[in-house]
Amino acid sequence: MYFDTHAHYDDEQFDLDRDEVLASMPESGVSLIVCPASNLKSCRMVLDMAGKYPYVYAAVGVHPHDAKEMDDSSIDLIRDMAKNKKVVAIGEIGLDYHYNLSPRDIQKKRFYQQLELARELDLPVIIHEREACQDCMEIITQFKDLKGVVHCYSGSWETAVQILNMGWYISFTGAVTFKNAKKAPEVVSKMPLDRLMLETDSPYMAPVPLRGRRNDSRNLPYIAETIARLRGMTPREVAAITMENGKKFFGIK
Ligand code: NI
């Protein structure tokens, strides 16, 4: 059975068949899913889904894209929502200098505030970083006491070492299966297996041979096959160890 540690079922691409897709997961070999929120509206949606399906858990927080929509009361709203029993992390939070949909200084301010909230609530964090490696590392190294995962990792081995030395985790999407992927496969083959997690980042990042289509958690085996090949293991072993890692990271029994 697989654990999808990062899937956006609140996305509008699932508006027509969300329940059908989610209800099919256990019979398709997916027994746990964490849905990270992107903004305050999506926080409410992921909480609804987590309330409805026993195998769906939620992370609450605001993505760097939507950081500009936060005000100082937003942190109080996130704090309240985080009290829900199905909330296992604060996320996804971070910095995105590729799209710059929110000004950089605002992204940094809201990222920092949400890391402080995670510290206050003693919850793990799910980090999004795109083309903002230096600033992101500068901020997260001030939060070494937290448990964190850097999601959809495509950075260098050197940065991965810094993340791993903090005791943090790294998760991989279908991007690791792409023909032009170089850094992610290198990190997969060198990193300690007990810090690796699987995710789809659905509806994005569909693995080869489904690249470009709408993604969902049922495609995890394609990612596991690539990782298994890089590590000289079976996909079944990858599924088992990443299940164990995910449960430990998110504190799910
Ligand atoms: Ni995501």
Side-chain angles (χ1 to χ4, degrees), residues 6-8 36-38 63 92 126-128 151-152 173 199-205:
H6 194 118
H8 298 283
S38 314
H63 191 285
E92 67 180 281
I126 301 170
I127 308 292
H128 170 100
H151 109 94
C152 194
T173 60
E199 55 155 318
T200 57
D201 204 17
S202 295
Y204 315 104
M205 297 288 164

Side-chain angles (χ1 to χ4, degrees), residues 228-244:
R229 190 159 23 80
L230 289 163
R231 298 294 301 219
M233 300 165 68
T234 65
R236 212 189 169 89
E237 288 168 327
V238 172
I241 190 151
T242 54
M243 171 68 72
E244 199 181 313

Side-chain angles (χ1 to χ4, degrees), residues 115-128:
L115 286 162
E116 285 186 319
L117 179 65
R119 181 180 273 157
E120 174 195 321
L121 300 175
D122 196 20
L123 280 170
V125 288
I126 301 170
I127 308 292
H128 170 100

Side-chain angles (χ1 to χ4, degrees), residues 1 20-31 55 218:
M1 296 298 270
E20 206 179 306
V21 173
L22 282 172
S24 75
M25 288 303 159
E27 71 201 43
S28 308
V30 179
S31 60
Y55 44 90
R218 292 172 291 194

Side-chain angles (χ1 to χ4, degrees), residues 212-228:
R213 293 199 218 166
R214 187 186 77 171
N215 196 12
D216 72 55
S217 311
R218 292 172 291 194
N219 298 327
L220 281 169
Y222 293 107
I223 305 168
E225 271 165 37
T226 298
I227 292 175

